[in-house]
Amino acid sequence: MAPSPTLGASTTPTPGNPFRQERAGSMRDTDDGHHLKDGLAPPSRLAKDARSLSNASMFGPRGASLANTGPGPGSFSSNLKNLNGARHTGSRPELNTFTSREDVHSDEVGASERRQADFRDKISKEIKIKTGSENLLDALLQKPSKQSKDQRFKVESELSSSNRKIAELKSQLEEEIERSKRPSTPSQNQSRLSSLYRGSPLRSPSRVDVLSDGEHIETTPEAESPTFVLAETLQALEVEGMQPDYYVSRANGLVELFKRHPTLKYDLAWSIFGLRVQTMLLSESREVVAAGYRVTRHAIADRKSLQTVRNLHTDSLVILSLVKESKATIEREQALKFIRAFLDIKDGVKELSNAVLRTVVSVAEHPEDRLRNMAILTLTEILIRDGALVKDAGGLAPLTDALSDGTYPGSESLVSAFLYLADAPQLRNILSSGRELEAPFSAFTDPLAAHGHEEKLKVNARSIASILNSWPGLFTLAAKGFATLRSLILSLSHPEPFARDLVLDLLFDVLHIKPPSWTSSFLAGRRLTTYGRVTNIKPDQMEQQWQVESEDDANRVNLIDQYTALVLAILVHCRLVEALSDLIEEAVDPSLRRKTTLLLGEVLKLSNYSLPSGVSSNLQALPSLMKNPYQGIEDDSLGASVSSIIYQVDSVNRTLYRTSVATTLTMNNKIKPDNNNNQKTADSSKPRLSMEMDEIHFRSLLVETQVVSTVNYLKWKWDLILDIIEGPLLNPKRLDEAIKATKFLKRLVGFYRPFKYRFSNARNTKPNQRYVRVGCALFRCLLQTNEGVQYLTESKLLRQLAECLAQLDRMSGLTSTSPLFAADRVSETMTSGYFTLLGALSSDAQGLVMLARWRILNMFYRIIDVQDRADLIQLLLGNMDFSIDSHLRVMLSKTLTSCPKAIRIFSTKILRKYATQDIPTNSQDTASDVAYWAIRLLVTQLYDPEVEVSEVAVQILQEACNRKPYLEYVVKCRPALDHLGEIGAPLLLRFLSTSLGYKYLDGLDYITQEMDDWFLGRNEKYVTLVEASLSQALSHESERPKSIVDEPLLRQQLGIVPPHFYRELTRTMEGCKLLKDSGHFEEFASTIQNFWSESEDAETMLKVKGCLWAVGNVGSMELGAPFLEVSNVVRYIIMIAEGSDVMSMRGTAFFVLGLISRSLHGMEILVEHGWDAATDQNGQSLGYCLPPSLDILFSIRPAVVESTSRTRITLKALPPARDQDDPIEARVVSLVVDLGNTVLTKRAIGELHSIRNQKPELFKSVAVFRRVMYIFECHRFRLPVMRFVIDMFDKNVMRQIVLEEEADDEDESQSMTAQPVPRT
């Protein structure tokens, strides 16, 4: 008897490989030359694995196409393999023939974000090209000009091209950002069917419906009746014998209808709609089946509709679709999207059957499946919503494997899901072994696995960084004495260069160490003493940097620094210093040794600043290197090596100390550089040439510069010129000699004259910036003496500059075919440097007189009024010095109020430098007047009509309020911030820190209202704000500042403790009295004492966290610390940090203890409880505290596994238990179970083929099929096995199940004769 038609492809297995699966990367299938992301491809021909239905002819051959859609219910976005294949020629249409318009707003937003990402990628590439060109040009400048002239010209051309491209791309990016903010209104006069077939996602959905007789009915979406269109479309789907295109287009029309009328799906008549869907899902055309899944997905409204959909037997249909071969990607992908639609409905995940989920797990386990990444993403989302469901389906194993093998591109999201489960004890039980988060470490700890798998190591390194940057991750890795971290550090001893280098990068990352600017040069082998950049930092700049940061530190608490200190303590506990010392001794690669030396120097530096002295003091001597001080006597080479290592580490440490601004932790510490260090820096940055120099020596230096001997500026020694200007030329006698007796000054000033076209035609490159530095130094030098002022005034330089600036004024009468300050010249040449030179003049009263004499100030007013030259306005404002009261301040005031928004924001940011400058020690100093002037303008900016401008002003004023005199002056200005709402709230909180501000706010009745607001709910919102800031700061994709001007404002936001009402309240005696009278602190302490061990109720834990932050902020102030002792709340906070079952609660308590340690009284309380705090040389706390032992902090009680009864969602209408009266049927079921055992697989396949040949009726039985599906639900099977078993059955079986045409099935099964089947 010939075998009956089957549900899939041919059931005859290949002898060598019965479960042959097509490779995911193979694109040779003529039946699958397309990739479906949001829609379906057009049909081509009949598929071999099609279902055979009695009404199959109504759908015609395979090949209909769904519309190309955007993100809809169940859709997803992940970086997956491209499945595009070769396009078919002939009559088959293109892929975008059938497309539909998804939600317009989400489509446009997604498209805009993609375009913005493309622009940013292109800008990043061009910046790299520009940097490389600048470095090459810098190297060419060191060669003789004749030899490198042609090369230099080519490099300069490439550099100017890069600058032009960067400017264009930045302009396009800004336009795209502005365009995305504007609401878009789609056109309403375009045909919906035309958009469906032309693939334009932005077309308006006007309707054109084609009736069976060919008549066209056109209506607009506003005039259409949705119920009429729905009934009309459903009726059209009843027509039989049409091509698949017909049904796909109608299905796409239904999807469009549901999008235009979202409420329509709540009133669906599922008795009719469900029948149409079932008919489509039973089609033998893959595209029609996919269209059925898509329509059903968009028709889902709530959990009740999900239950209705499942009653249509969609579970079995989805399983049947997912187990198909990879060439059925279009159907399988829509089936997976249909499953994902369950996740978009509230509690929809509870409607997923175990059989469907096990099938998804099988897809995720198959390494060559095209949908593997999508299946892993789906399981990850289900794991967060209902982890027990994934565990029961065996989904934890493929997720752990994906995390370990490093091939899944979304490893960070997978790590986040495991971290979410590891946080709370009731979720922690879901993790089978508790070792899932250790999977990424295996790639580094196994030397054989690390070799030749660079991309895998990079992905795993990102996963490890995500684990180490979270509290659940730290606590998970703390098991067995940090064994996992110890193994990672020991992997540095493995002789795998790439893995070693990657581990070092990982350590730089998790310790948040920003490599210094000279890192690349150091790793390349250059000596530290040759770095000019190190000595370029002026002592006054370093002192100013320290003063700004030290004063900010009183008000700013960086939680990232505190977290980094703990991670550093853990790594030191895991013998990181010893491992780095051994690597320096063993490494053969010089670059690796230098990188390790740099990391070791940074680790020693951070440990000295952030760890308690008892921990850090033992590290500084490098005991691992000095364990035998006499080892060099026996082995001279070894002794020399150790001495060289110690010298290099010490040299790096001294260099890092001089460039302390490179390390984030150092910037926020209150450690002032000592006098010796300041003296060294001053010595290295002061002029190398003395002012007191004899005439002969001076003339020889002038000759050596080549200025007096040649007019070719490329041959001039610019470094020597700068030394002369900053040294001997400051002597009036030497300056007079240079003016009258030599051509040095004449040629040097002539070089900058615009019409000489030397400086003005030089390319705008990084090496050429030295011309600007020399010019500014020359102007400042000439302004020091009357002779110099007279010489500069009478020179042609300022006169020609004034003439060029006048060309920008249409009323001046001066025109030019190629103006000096044209937009292209400003961006590509050094013409922009003229504004820097004029800025040097604006810093001196004599220079302002010169600017006024040549009417340059008048030209500045004209530039401000130019509408289409924002680049010139920013150049002008960014380079001028507004310290002196002059016309420049009037110009700035004008730009603050009358220019476009972008210029107003830029001008507001300029005020930061003046509003946050140091407080003068001399009361007669005018520096405070400059700050008060800037503060007055910033207060005015608070009333700007654009919220962005006001927000920038608030941020700058908040930073200025770190200094008490400036804070009091802001209060005296009495700003009104009610119209800014939450934006102005932090600034109002800062007013509470002084008695003057307290009285001002008390008069406005602000304090009592704000206190009640914080007590009743703002504390909980504060928790969300802090945790979001921490998460973004620890994330690898945190948003970077868009420009240098933005960086000072944005660098303070992430990871910084936001202003807290109770913290600011306890800065004054009046505030402490109010807090005591209100009884709020006692209420916070009582909440902590009563609920410190809470681990189940999320709302209660949120309230406890809010109370913890309130107590910590109060305890961080000296006036608020006594509240801690009265309530004895610190003991309970320590109990939370050491004994809470919720990891995030422990982390919050640890941060709060760090806040408490910032006050002297709070630090004493912590010492009484055994905790140790890091202090500076003056004994003041740095805000970092550690327990007496890390084992105490990271001790975790074993989880108690509770057996919970869960109601498992099963397949619909499972068969009742049958009497075992048919041994052949029982044998079939037994053989299917054996297929799950790889040892018994081959024998089971042979027996099943034998039974099918002898008893084909058995594989037409619905009851047997149901029992097989039940086995799939209860046991784990590989995807090819499931495909093989389902292909054994007749295709009509599924039709009988779905359409419930199985009345005669029992009689048929009873008539079968039971004959024993011989075993093979």
Side-chain angles (χ1 to χ4, degrees):
M1 181 181 296
S4 302
T6 59
L7 278 173
S10 174
T11 60
T12 305
T14 303
N17 185 4
F19 304 125
R20 183 176 58 85
Q21 169 74 10
E22 294 193 21
R23 297 187 59 85
S26 176
M27 308 304 296
R28 297 182 180 180
D29 249 334
T30 58
D31 209 15
D32 191 33
H34 52 78
H35 174 229
L36 173 68
K37 288 186 177 178
D38 293 310
L40 301 175
S44 60
R45 60 180 176 84
L46 283 172
K48 296 180 181 180
D49 59 344
R51 301 180 180 89
S52 175
L53 303 175
S54 60
N55 61 344
S57 60
M58 66 178 288
F59 293 103
R62 276 188 182 273
S65 168
L66 273 181
N68 189 18
T69 66
S75 63
F76 45 83
S77 174
S78 59
N79 185 16
L80 304 172
K81 294 180 180 178
N82 186 9
L83 306 181
N84 288 321
R87 302 291 181 189
H88 296 291
T89 58
S91 61
R92 179 168 179 165
E94 294 295 330
L95 174 64
N96 62 351
T97 300
F98 305 106
T99 57
S100 68
R101 176 180 156 273
E102 290 284 359
D103 185 11
V104 175
H105 179 69
S106 60
D107 274 356
E108 291 180 351
V109 171
S112 177
E113 291 176 352
R114 289 192 294 270
R115 287 193 294 268
Q116 292 178 29
D118 291 341
F119 284 135
R120 290 191 176 95
D121 291 341
K122 292 178 181 178
I123 291 174
S124 177
K125 292 178 182 178
E126 290 298 332
I127 289 177
K128 292 179 181 178
I129 295 175
K130 176 184 176 182
T131 304
S133 301
E134 289 176 345
N135 294 336
L136 179 58
L137 187 59
D138 194 7
L140 292 176
L141 289 175
Q142 307 299 327
K143 298 181 179 180
S145 57
K146 291 184 178 180
Q147 299 179 6
S148 60
K149 183 177 180 180
D150 296 338
Q151 292 180 337
R152 192 166 60 247
F153 177 76
K154 293 180 180 179
V155 175
E156 288 179 349
S157 301
E158 181 66 27
L159 190 57
S160 61
S161 175
S162 297
N163 289 329
R164 184 169 56 254
K165 290 181 180 178
I166 291 173
E168 293 175 357
L169 289 172
K170 286 183 177 179
S171 176
Q172 295 174 4
L173 177 61
E174 292 175 358
E175 292 177 358
E176 184 60 38
I177 293 175
E178 291 295 329
R179 188 184 302 114
S180 65
K181 294 179 180 179
R182 295 194 298 266
S184 60
T185 305
S187 173
Q188 298 292 339
N189 57 0
Q190 294 175 346
S191 169
R192 175 161 53 92
L193 197 61
S194 64
S195 70
L196 181 68
Y197 280 89
R198 289 188 176 88
S200 175
L202 300 179
R203 290 182 180 271
S204 172
S206 59
R207 194 175 71 85
V208 178
D209 221 348
V210 183
L211 301 181
S212 57
D213 57 356
E215 180 184 358
H216 293 266
I217 299 178
E218 299 187 9
T219 58
T220 61
E222 293 81 358
E224 71 180 357
S225 171
T227 55
F228 174 77
V229 176
L230 176 63
E232 187 181 62
T233 307
L234 292 177
Q235 184 178 2
L237 288 174
E238 292 183 4
V239 180
E240 299 183 6
M242 304 298 290
Q243 292 295 321
D245 301 1
Y246 175 86
Y247 303 102
V248 171
S249 63
R250 267 57 185 179
N252 291 340
L254 283 178
V255 173
E256 292 298 315
L257 185 66
F258 288 142
K259 292 174 184 176
R260 292 197 303 273
H261 305 281
T263 59
L264 184 62
K265 55 189 175 184
Y266 292 94
D267 302 323
L268 278 179
W270 280 96
S271 59
I272 301 176
F273 182 81
L275 182 60
R276 302 294 177 269
V277 168
Q278 286 179 320
T279 308
M280 294 183 70
L281 294 180
L282 289 171
S283 170
E284 63 181 21
S285 170
R286 289 197 300 266
E287 285 75 18
V288 174
V289 176
Y293 284 126
R294 183 167 178 261
V295 171
T296 310
R297 169 162 56 96
H298 284 85
I300 296 174
D302 49 24
R303 188 176 179 182
K304 184 178 179 181
S305 61
L306 281 179
Q307 296 171 352
T308 304
V309 168
R310 292 192 66 243
N311 288 329
L312 301 176
H313 304 280
T314 54
D315 289 349
S316 300
L317 290 168
V318 167
I319 295 174
L320 182 62
S321 296
L322 288 179
V323 300
K324 286 191 174 183
E325 295 183 356
S326 59
K327 62 183 179 181
T329 303
I330 190 170
E331 179 180 341
R332 300 176 71 230
E333 185 172 341
Q334 285 297 326
L336 192 54
K337 284 189 176 185
F338 172 74
I339 297 174
R340 290 181 55 83
F342 284 58
L343 308 181
D344 296 332
I345 304 299
K346 182 180 180 181
D347 296 331
V349 68
K350 298 179 180 179
E351 294 297 325
L352 284 172
S353 68
N354 197 52
V356 171
L357 203 53
R358 281 189 180 272
T359 308
V360 177
V361 171
S362 299
V363 175
E365 288 177 333
H366 200 66
E368 297 180 352
D369 198 288
R370 295 178 177 179
L371 299 182
R372 178 175 181 264
N373 288 339
M374 300 180 183
I376 292 175
L377 177 63
T378 304
L379 291 176
T380 303
E381 295 186 14
I382 300 175
L383 184 66
I384 296 176
R385 289 175 168 84
D386 192 346
L389 187 63
V390 177
K391 180 181 179 181
D392 294 342
L396 290 180
L399 294 182
T400 306
D401 293 340
L403 194 60
S404 175
D405 59 25
T407 57
Y408 179 58
S411 59
E412 289 90 344
S413 62
L414 192 53
V415 168
S416 301
F418 283 119
L419 292 175
Y420 171 75
L421 296 181
D423 186 28
Q426 58 270 22
L427 297 176
R428 205 176 303 139
N429 296 331
I430 297 175
L431 300 178
S432 303
S433 63
R435 302 277 181 169
E436 286 79 6
L437 288 173
E438 299 178 5
F441 291 84
S442 61
F444 292 93
T445 56
D446 185 2
L448 298 178
H451 181 70
H453 297 84
E454 287 79 5
E455 291 301 324
K456 174 181 177 180
L457 291 176
K458 290 180 181 179
V459 173
N460 286 354
R462 292 199 302 267
S463 301
I464 294 174
S466 300
I467 295 173
L468 289 173
N469 284 329
S470 67
W471 287 110
L474 276 185
F475 281 97
T476 303
L477 298 180
K480 297 183 179 181
F482 300 97
T484 307
L485 278 179
R486 291 179 186 273
S487 64
L488 177 66
I489 294 175
L490 287 176
S491 68
L492 290 172
S493 61
H494 298 163
E496 182 61 36
F498 184 82
R500 283 177 165 181
D501 189 71
L502 204 56
V503 172
L504 293 179
D505 290 336
L506 175 63
L507 293 173
F508 272 106
D509 187 14
V510 298
L511 292 176
H512 299 92
I513 297 174
K514 181 182 178 182
S517 58
W518 41 266
T519 299
S520 58
S521 300
F522 173 66
L523 296 181
R526 292 179 59 187
R527 293 174 57 86
L528 287 171
T529 54
T530 63
Y531 303 154
R533 297 186 182 92
V534 175
T535 59
N536 282 340
I537 303 176
K538 296 290 192 298
D540 55 343
Q541 293 176 350
M542 292 187 64
E543 182 71 15
Q544 180 181 0
Q545 177 71 22
W546 169 80
Q547 289 181 1
V548 172
E549 297 297 339
S550 62
E551 296 209 21
D552 288 353
D553 187 70
N555 298 311
R556 298 170 61 248
V557 181
N558 196 332
L559 298 178
I560 300 300
D561 292 351
Q562 187 177 349
Y563 186 85
T564 304
L566 178 61
V567 175
L568 177 62
I570 295 173
L571 293 176
V572 169
H573 177 70
C574 296
R575 303 181 63 84
L576 172 63
V577 175
E578 291 80 357
L580 293 178
S581 302
D582 295 341
L583 180 58
I584 295 175
E585 291 185 86
E586 299 172 1
V588 179
D589 185 6
S591 177
L592 182 62
R593 293 187 64 179
R594 296 188 190 98
K595 192 171 189 177
T596 310
T597 303
L598 179 61
L599 178 58
L600 181 58
E602 291 278 10
V603 168
L604 295 176
K605 181 164 172 277
L606 293 184
S607 62
N608 184 40
Y609 287 140
S610 58
L611 297 183
S613 57
V615 179
S616 62
S617 58
N618 297 329
L619 302 177
Q620 304 301 322
L622 295 177
S624 58
L625 287 177
M626 302 302 295
K627 52 191 173 185
N628 185 7
Y630 301 105
Q631 60 182 347
I633 296 177
E634 300 176 357
D635 189 349
D636 293 338
S637 61
L638 183 60
S641 175
V642 173
S643 301
S644 174
I645 292 170
I646 295 176
Y647 171 76
Q648 281 195 355
V649 172
D650 180 65
S651 179
V652 168
N653 269 325
R654 285 186 281 107
T655 308
L656 288 173
Y657 199 59
R658 290 198 300 269
T659 57
S660 59
V661 294
T663 305
T664 306
L665 278 175
T666 310
M667 290 174 61
N668 295 320
N669 284 331
K670 295 192 295 183
I671 299 178
K672 182 176 180 179
D674 55 26
N675 294 333
N676 294 334
N677 182 63
N678 285 338
Q679 185 64 36
K680 290 179 182 179
T681 307
D683 292 341
S684 62
S685 60
K686 68 181 181 180
R688 285 179 252 176
L689 300 179
S690 174
M691 292 176 56
E692 304 299 330
M693 183 180 295
D694 59 84
E695 182 179 353
I696 298 177
H697 188 194
F698 178 65
R699 285 180 176 270
S700 65
L701 288 177
L702 295 184
V703 173
E704 187 178 351
T705 60
Q706 302 292 324
V707 175
V708 296
S709 59
T710 178
V711 295
N712 186 356
Y713 66 92
L714 296 177
K715 297 182 179 181
W716 296 354
K717 297 183 179 181
W718 289 95
D719 293 336
L720 182 58
I721 295 173
L722 182 61
D723 293 339
I724 293 175
I725 293 174
E726 294 180 344
L729 280 188
L730 295 178
N731 188 334
K733 185 176 181 181
R734 300 278 83 84
L735 177 62
D736 184 67
E737 181 179 352
I739 293 175
K740 298 179 179 179
T742 67
K743 296 181 180 180
F744 176 79
L745 212 57
K746 179 181 178 181
R747 285 187 174 176
L748 191 58
V749 174
F751 165 74
Y752 292 98
R753 284 167 54 184
F755 297 148
K756 289 282 189 177
Y757 296 109
R758 296 177 182 175
F759 175 78
S760 58
N761 273 7
R763 293 292 180 180
N764 187 8
T765 62
K766 186 176 180 180
N768 287 350
Q769 295 299 321
R770 57 184 176 176
Y771 304 148
V772 179
R773 292 194 293 270
V774 172
C776 292
L778 178 61
F779 277 21
R780 286 192 292 267
C781 174
L782 294 176
L783 290 173
Q784 299 297 320
T785 60
N786 294 331
E787 292 81 1
V789 171
Q790 182 179 1
Y791 180 82
L792 188 58
T793 305
E794 295 176 354
S795 69
K796 297 181 181 179
L797 174 59
L798 295 181
R799 185 189 314 166
Q800 293 182 5
L801 268 178
E803 182 178 346
C804 294
L805 289 172
Q807 295 173 0
L808 299 172
D809 183 12
R810 299 176 181 177
M811 306 300 295
S812 66
L814 298 177
T815 59
S816 174
T817 55
S818 58
L820 182 71
F821 292 101
D824 55 341
R825 290 183 60 89
V826 170
S827 62
E828 297 178 5
T829 66
M830 294 302 299
T831 302
S832 58
Y834 281 119
F835 288 98
T836 308
L837 301 180
L838 294 176
L841 290 179
S842 67
S843 61
D844 189 272
Q846 294 288 346
L848 290 172
V849 172
M850 295 182 196
L851 296 178
R853 175 182 176 182
W854 294 108
R855 303 292 190 272
I856 293 179
L857 292 178
N858 295 357
M859 298 302 106
F860 286 171
Y861 279 107
R862 300 293 187 269
I863 292 176
I864 292 174
D865 293 332
V866 178
Q867 298 295 329
D868 56 345
R869 293 303 303 274
D871 58 332
L872 280 183
I873 300 176
Q874 293 185 2
L875 273 175
L876 171 61
L877 298 177
N879 288 286
M880 292 300 112
D881 191 338
F882 301 95
S883 301
I884 302 177
D885 190 3
S886 63
H887 278 278
L888 295 176
R889 290 192 179 182
V890 180
M891 297 178 194
L892 184 61
S893 301
K894 182 178 180 181
T895 58
L896 287 170
T897 55
S898 61
C899 284
K901 181 180 72 173
I903 301 298
R904 298 204 306 274
I905 293 177
F906 184 84
S907 304
T908 305
K909 291 176 181 177
I910 290 176
L911 293 173
R912 178 186 178 273
K913 178 174 63 175
Y914 304 98
T916 60
Q917 62 184 357
D918 300 333
I919 300 175
T921 56
N922 185 2
S923 60
Q924 297 180 353
D925 201 325
T926 59
S928 59
D929 296 335
V930 177
Y932 294 156
W933 161 77
I935 289 173
R936 289 194 299 270
L937 292 181
L938 287 170
V939 171
T940 304
Q941 293 303 96
L942 296 176
Y943 311 110
D944 192 277
E946 296 290 343
V947 180
E948 292 89 344
V949 180
S950 302
E951 187 174 4
V952 173
V954 168
Q955 293 176 359
I956 299 175
L957 285 174
Q958 190 176 351
E959 186 178 353
C961 289
N962 290 332
R963 295 158 178 79
K964 188 174 180 180
Y966 298 163
L967 172 59
E968 293 179 348
Y969 187 78
V970 174
V971 174
K972 289 179 182 179
C973 294
R974 303 178 68 85
L977 301 174
D978 296 341
H979 63 289
L980 295 179
E982 292 293 332
I983 296 176
L987 184 58
L988 287 175
L989 287 181
R990 299 305 301 271
F991 290 177
L992 289 174
S993 59
T994 63
S995 297
L996 181 63
Y998 182 90
K999 294 176 182 178
Y1000 169 65
L1001 295 178
D1002 190 34
L1004 299 176
D1005 197 24
Y1006 169 82
I1007 298 177
T1008 55
Q1009 295 180 7
E1010 193 73 5
M1011 176 178 281
D1012 293 340
D1013 190 14
W1014 277 81
F1015 183 74
L1016 296 176
R1018 287 281 290 280
N1019 272 331
E1020 287 75 10
K1021 294 181 180 179
Y1022 184 85
V1023 174
T1024 305
L1025 180 63
V1026 173
E1027 292 182 351
S1029 176
L1030 271 173
S1031 176
Q1032 189 174 359
L1034 294 173
S1035 173
H1036 290 270
E1037 299 179 357
S1038 56
E1039 183 177 359
R1040 297 182 178 180
K1042 296 180 181 179
S1043 66
I1044 298 178
V1045 181
D1046 295 336
E1047 185 174 1
L1049 301 177
L1050 297 182
R1051 65 178 172 83
Q1052 309 175 46
Q1053 307 302 319
L1054 300 180
I1056 303 299
V1057 176
H1060 197 285
F1061 174 80
Y1062 291 100
R1063 175 185 173 89
E1064 304 301 326
L1065 189 65
T1066 51
R1067 290 181 183 272
T1068 60
M1069 295 298 298
E1070 297 90 342
C1072 291
K1073 184 178 182 303
L1074 178 63
L1075 179 61
K1076 182 178 180 181
D1077 295 340
S1078 65
H1080 287 184
F1081 190 88
E1082 290 77 8
E1083 192 68 28
F1084 296 148
S1086 176
T1087 302
I1088 295 173
Q1089 294 173 11
N1090 295 332
F1091 302 102
W1092 71 270
S1093 61
E1094 181 63 44
S1095 61
E1096 295 183 0
D1097 189 3
E1099 187 175 347
T1100 302
M1101 288 191 292
L1102 181 63
K1103 186 174 182 62
V1104 173
K1105 286 182 180 180
C1107 295
L1108 285 173
W1109 284 113
V1111 170
N1113 277 282
V1114 171
S1116 65
M1117 306 306 300
E1118 294 295 342
L1119 295 178
F1123 287 93
L1124 301 173
E1125 191 170 9
V1126 174
S1127 61
N1128 196 23
V1129 70
V1130 176
R1131 180 168 70 92
Y1132 292 94
I1133 299 177
I1134 293 177
M1135 291 171 62
I1136 295 176
E1138 296 179 353
S1140 177
D1141 291 332
V1142 182
M1143 307 309 174
S1144 58
M1145 286 286 291
R1146 286 195 180 193
T1148 302
F1150 177 79
F1151 285 136
V1152 169
L1153 291 175
L1155 283 175
I1156 293 175
S1157 70
R1158 299 181 70 84
S1159 64
L1160 181 60
H1161 200 163
M1163 184 171 60
E1164 293 175 352
I1165 296 175
L1166 287 176
V1167 171
E1168 292 176 359
H1169 287 83
W1171 282 57
D1172 196 3
T1175 58
D1176 60 8
Q1177 293 95 329
N1178 299 324
Q1180 296 183 359
S1181 173
L1182 300 174
Y1184 314 136
C1185 61
L1186 291 175
S1189 172
L1190 290 176
D1191 295 333
I1192 297 177
L1193 181 63
F1194 289 99
S1195 61
I1196 304 176
R1197 289 183 295 183
V1200 179
V1201 180
E1202 299 178 358
S1203 59
T1204 58
S1205 59
R1206 290 175 49 85
T1207 302
R1208 180 188 297 177
I1209 300 296
T1210 60
L1211 291 174
K1212 295 297 180 182
L1214 283 175
R1218 297 168 56 96
D1219 297 333
Q1220 300 298 326
D1221 54 350
D1222 188 351
I1224 300 180
E1225 180 178 339
R1227 183 58 184 163
V1228 169
V1229 174
S1230 176
L1231 290 174
V1232 171
V1233 175
D1234 290 345
L1235 287 175
N1237 188 337
T1238 55
V1239 178
L1240 305 176
T1241 299
K1242 187 174 181 180
R1243 188 197 67 185
I1245 291 173
E1247 286 199 41
L1248 284 174
H1249 274 295
S1250 177
I1251 295 175
R1252 185 177 181 276
N1253 292 331
Q1254 296 180 19
K1255 293 292 182 180
E1257 302 85 3
L1258 195 64
F1259 292 91
K1260 299 179 182 179
S1261 171
V1262 174
V1264 176
F1265 184 80
R1266 287 183 182 277
R1267 296 187 65 184
V1268 170
M1269 297 298 289
Y1270 182 72
I1271 293 173
F1272 286 165
E1273 183 171 15
C1274 300
H1275 300 277
R1276 173 183 171 273
F1277 291 90
R1278 293 184 297 118
L1279 194 64
V1281 171
M1282 298 179 68
R1283 181 186 310 120
F1284 168 76
V1285 173
I1286 292 178
D1287 287 349
M1288 296 284 292
F1289 285 87
D1290 187 85
K1291 292 180 289 186
N1292 288 324
V1293 173
M1294 184 56 66
R1295 170 184 174 82
Q1296 296 175 20
I1297 293 177
V1298 174
L1299 300 181
E1300 300 180 354
E1301 298 175 353
E1302 46 184 314
D1304 300 331
D1305 183 66
E1306 289 296 327
D1307 297 336
E1308 184 179 338
S1309 63
Q1310 294 292 338
S1311 63
M1312 290 189 302
T1313 58
Q1315 297 180 1
V1317 180
R1319 291 195 173 190
T1320 58

